Amino acid sequence: MSFLKLTVAYDGTGYAGWQIQPASPTIQGALAQAWLRITGEEPNFSASGRTDAGVHAEAQIVGVETQSTLSPWRLRKGLNAVLPEDIVVRLVEPAPTGFHATYDALRKTYRYQLHDGPAPPLFDRRYVWWWRAGRLDDLQMGQGGERFVGRHDFVSLQSLGSDRSTTVRTISNLSVTRTGDRLDITVTGDGFLYNMVRTIAGTLVEVGRGSKPPEWIAEVLAARDRSAAGPTAPAEGLVLASVEYQTA
């Protein structure tokens, strides 16, 4: 037996999220079918994050234990030959014995993508939230985002439906950058609650449109109440960008 680490990218538009669900197409389900076709094995995958319906990934990390003797290069080639065109295995590499993509992750980076131009986006329309109500103030959003950095109880940013032993997380970096009509909110942390990044995005939009000042973010965190934060931003703007692991 050997352990492998897969780096997988996908367009989540047509899927009900990562995790297998009955009667719904999922990323895990498509990858499992492809793995069975190439190796003859029914895999038990671990994933760095269970992305929700409509959420995308540039570098979802997947761990798997296998008896296959195919080389990583041949596994990647074979999987990409049978996977749907909106899922790509970017890399297959050996992993340490016992590797678990969920529990061994140190930090994850998500990027939330907005478009605030006067005309709707075209080529990236499935990957951004089009804010139709006028130009957002990215400088104010960046100042608000600085208040999220550090170790906090993020219960105000968690949607209902998740059972976690603690809602305390550490955000090590949050930036808001503009390129033309495109705004990217990039967040790195040691873990994220259910819909946390999408709620951070929706909350910062409240600042960007002038409804709230940057200092309001501190009040949101202190309230420990979901109703104190902004709306949950749409799923299509969210991308799992990268995952960090301990290097040997």
Side-chain angles (χ1 to χ4, degrees):
M1 298 290 286
S2 61
F3 287 81
L4 296 173
K5 175 184 172 186
L6 283 61
T7 303
V8 184
Y10 48 83
D11 176 342
T13 304
Y15 296 91
W18 159 261
Q19 192 170 14
I20 288 178
Q21 299 180 33
S24 296
T26 65
I27 305 297
Q28 184 183 10
L31 190 60
Q33 291 176 13
W35 189 270
L36 178 62
R37 287 184 62 181
I38 298 304
T39 68
E41 298 174 332
E42 294 187 1
N44 182 19
F45 291 130
S46 62
S48 60
R50 293 184 295 178
T51 54
D52 293 327
V55 175
H56 317 291
E58 291 176 349
Q60 169 76 280
I61 304 301
V62 178
V64 64
E65 186 177 4
T66 181
Q67 292 183 338
S68 175
T69 58
L70 293 172
S71 69
W73 180 85
R74 290 192 176 278
L75 278 170
R76 183 182 66 173
K77 184 177 181 181
L79 290 169
N80 285 330
V82 299
L83 279 166
E85 63 182 4
D86 49 8
I87 304 175
V88 173
V89 177
R90 300 175 61 185
L91 185 65
V92 178
E93 55 190 323
T97 300
F99 174 73
H100 195 286
T102 309
Y103 302 134
D104 293 344
L106 297 177
R107 284 172 295 276
K108 290 185 280 188
T109 296
Y110 283 91
R111 187 174 63 253
Y112 195 88
Q113 304 170 163
L114 294 113
H115 178 99
D116 64 354
L122 177 59
F123 297 111
D124 58 351
R125 64 191 181 277
R126 296 194 297 185
Y127 314 113
V128 298
W129 175 18
W130 178 33
W131 178 256
R132 308 168 186 231
R135 202 72 159 178
L136 294 165
D137 189 330
D138 50 289
L139 296 179
Q140 291 285 292
M141 292 171 69
Q143 291 177 24
E146 292 173 1
R147 271 76 174 180
F148 286 124
V149 176
R151 190 163 183 81
H152 304 289
D153 186 341
F154 284 96
V155 68
S156 293
L157 284 301
Q158 174 183 247
S159 294
L160 297 177
S162 177
D163 183 17
R164 301 293 180 94
S165 59
T166 177
T167 51
V168 175
R169 297 291 185 273
T170 300
I171 299 298
S172 54
N173 186 67
L174 191 153
S175 64
V176 180
T177 56
R178 176 182 291 281
T179 305
D181 293 335
R182 167 81 170 262
L183 274 175
D184 288 349
I185 302 169
T186 305
V187 189
T188 300
D190 62 359
F192 295 93
L193 305 172
Y194 181 45
N195 281 341
M196 178 173 158
V197 177
R198 289 168 59 188
T199 308
I200 286 175
T203 300
L204 290 180
V205 164
E206 291 297 296
V207 175
R209 72 187 185 96
S211 176
K212 300 288 186 179
E215 296 78 15
W216 169 65
I217 300 302
E219 298 177 23
V220 170
L221 290 170
R224 292 180 171 83
D225 184 341
R226 175 64 186 87
S227 65
T232 303
E236 63 264 25
L238 186 60
V239 179
L240 173 57
S242 63
V243 187
E244 298 175 53
Y245 291 87
Q246 186 74 48
T247 57

